């Protein structure tokens, strides 16, 4: 549970957790200060109700472009647009109060140039109210990260297995099996951190690399399919809740089977409608009393 509270100050005399205290979102400096401390808890959220449920349990809500696959049924994240990310990002910000919200930059919205990245990131920040954007890529994106950060946009990096590059990578297999690939991942993480990213997501890599990157890089490294030694973890909420069954990567752990609960509820509802036992007397206005 992670709720960040600050005093309202001004005349109330309220202490940090006293009467009149207001809930405050975790800030970028507070997030960065957690390097090597208590692990940072991150989950994706794409919608208002999911953000409401997860906020207060996590440090960071990530509006990932994985929503293209999880919510929209696309085969990859590539068809996701900037407008889609903005709509979902704004809903998650409305549904949360204490978690930091980071919104993914979708494929094609930032790779062309630092200027294009700035225009996209500025729209995301203005139209959603999120605290930061995330973009995929290593050394080739360092200049862009630095351009954004110097202009007031906090950036989270994402290296290792980068789903927007699925076509060049040739699939979603774990990265860094060979020495050369492992060295490349390390160089990517260092480049993005040195360019000013406040944190780096490290996805789908051999555990040894995850540990080495976490030890070497000065900002929090958030693992997904990486290692418990990372500074934090992120997973797709629908994956841990059993709501996405297209495929289940090895690194996903199921904490609930809500997909089954939904099917059972729908089946009961269908049965009751067909039997005319729903709606019952409690579900209609001015119910007619049945005699005998
Ligand atoms: O798109 C996404 O959801 C992500 C996180 C899971 C890292 O990038």
């Amino acid at each position: 549970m992670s709720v960040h509270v600050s005093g309202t100050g001004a005349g109330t005399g309220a202490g940090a957790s006293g009467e009149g205290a207001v809930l405050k979102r975790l800030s970028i400096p507070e997030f960065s200060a957690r390097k090597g401390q208590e692990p940072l808890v991150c989950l994706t959220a794409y919608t208002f109700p999911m953000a409401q449920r997860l906020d207060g349990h996590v440090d960071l809500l990530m509006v990932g472009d994985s929503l293209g696959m999880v919510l929209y049924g696309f085969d990859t994240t590539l068809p996701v647009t900037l407008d889609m990310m903005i709509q979902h990002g704004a809903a998650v910000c409305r549904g949360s109060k204490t978690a930091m919200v980071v919104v993914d930059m979708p494929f094609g919205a930032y790779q062309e140039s630092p200027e294009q990245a700035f225009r996209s990131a500025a729209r995301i920040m203005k139209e959603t109210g999120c605290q930061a954007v995330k973009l995929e890529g290593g050394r080739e994106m360092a200049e862009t990260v630095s351009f954004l950060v110097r202009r007031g946009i906090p950036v989270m990096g994402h290296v290792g297995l980068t789903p927007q590059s699925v076509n060049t990578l040739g699939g979603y297999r774990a990265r860094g099996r060979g020495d050369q690939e492992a060295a490349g991942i390390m160089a990517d993480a260092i480049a993005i951190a040195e360019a000013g990213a406040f944190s780096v997501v490290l996805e789908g890599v051999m555990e040894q690399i995850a540990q080495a990157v976490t030890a070497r890089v000065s900002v929090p490294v958030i693992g997904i399919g990486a290692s418990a030694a990372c500074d934090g973890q992120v997973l797709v909420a629908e994956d841990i809740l059993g709501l996405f069954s297209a495929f289940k990567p090895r690194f996903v752990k199921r904490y609930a089977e809500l997909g089954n609960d939904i099917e059972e509820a729908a089946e009961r509802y269908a049965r009751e409608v067909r039997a005319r036992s729903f709606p019952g007397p409690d579900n209609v206005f001015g119910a007619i009393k049945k005699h005998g």
Side-chain angles (χ1 to χ4, degrees):
M1 182 85 166
S2 177
V3 175
H4 315 282
V5 181
S6 73
T8 49
T12 64
S17 58
E19 207 185 315
V22 289
L23 293 172
K24 173 182 164 296
R25 286 187 194 274
L26 184 69
S27 69
I28 304 286
E30 285 166 341
F31 190 93
S32 300
R34 294 268 292 274
K35 172 79 189 172
Q37 308 292 317
E38 186 195 355
L40 288 150
V41 182
C42 317
L43 277 174
T44 61
Y46 313 132
T47 64
F48 178 84
M50 190 65 91
Q52 282 186 311
R53 293 283 173 183
L54 303 180
D55 190 43
H57 299 284
V58 300
D59 298 300
L60 182 151
L61 289 171
M62 179 166 306
V63 188
D65 63 352
S66 52
L67 63 81
M69 300 169 80
V70 176
L71 291 190
Y72 289 85
F74 296 134
D75 287 339
T76 70
T77 56
L78 302 191
V80 174
T81 65
L82 191 55
D83 286 336
M84 287 162 77
M85 293 311 300
I86 288 172
Q87 290 302 322
H88 287 281
V92 168
C93 287
R94 287 192 294 270
S96 60
K97 290 188 169 68
T98 59
M100 178 195 290
V101 178
V102 177
V103 176
D104 250 346
M105 301 256 269
F107 178 69
Y110 63 95
Q111 291 91 343
E112 189 183 320
S113 64
E115 289 79 6
Q116 184 213 21
F118 183 81
R119 279 192 298 277
S120 300
R123 264 200 74 196
I124 291 176
M125 304 285 294
K126 277 173 186 279
E127 296 178 40
T128 69
C130 71
Q131 280 70 62
V133 297
K134 176 166 82 59
L135 56 79
E136 294 183 12
R139 286 154 286 177
E140 75 287 3
M141 291 312 300
E143 187 196 342
T144 296
V145 171
S146 157
F147 189 91
L148 296 181
V149 173
R150 282 186 280 120
R151 285 159 182 76
I153 297 182
V155 179
M156 187 172 212
H158 184 155
V159 303
L161 172 55
T162 46
Q164 292 178 13
S165 304
V166 60
N167 290 311
T168 41
L169 297 177
Y172 294 108
R173 135 194 102 69
R175 315 295 302 162
R177 287 178 197 274
D179 288 350
Q180 205 181 333
E181 215 171 81
I185 293 166
M186 175 63 89
D188 285 342
I190 293 172
I192 292 299
E194 288 183 351
F198 71 93
S199 175
V200 179
V201 168
L202 183 57
E203 176 165 358
V205 298
M206 298 293 111
E207 178 159 36
Q208 215 185 347
I209 301 167
Q211 292 191 0
V213 168
T214 305
R216 169 67 180 80
V217 165
S218 59
V219 298
V221 173
I222 307 301
I224 170 165
S227 171
C230 291
D231 300 302
Q233 303 295 325
V234 62
L235 282 174
V236 169
E238 280 74 0
D239 277 340
I240 70 164
L241 297 174
L243 282 171
F244 181 64
S245 49
F247 60 88
K248 179 181 165 298
R250 176 194 170 91
F251 56 76
V252 168
K253 181 171 172 187
R254 286 265 162 87
Y255 288 84
E257 291 294 347
L258 300 190
N260 295 347
D261 291 350
I262 289 174
E263 286 196 38
E264 275 168 35
E267 194 209 319
R268 273 180 50 212
Y269 169 73
R271 216 180 318 120
E272 291 186 11
V273 168
R274 290 185 183 117
R276 294 194 193 283
S277 59
F278 177 86
D282 292 344
N283 313 115
V284 295
F285 301 101
I288 299 164
K289 289 210 174 68
K290 292 201 176 111
H291 299 288

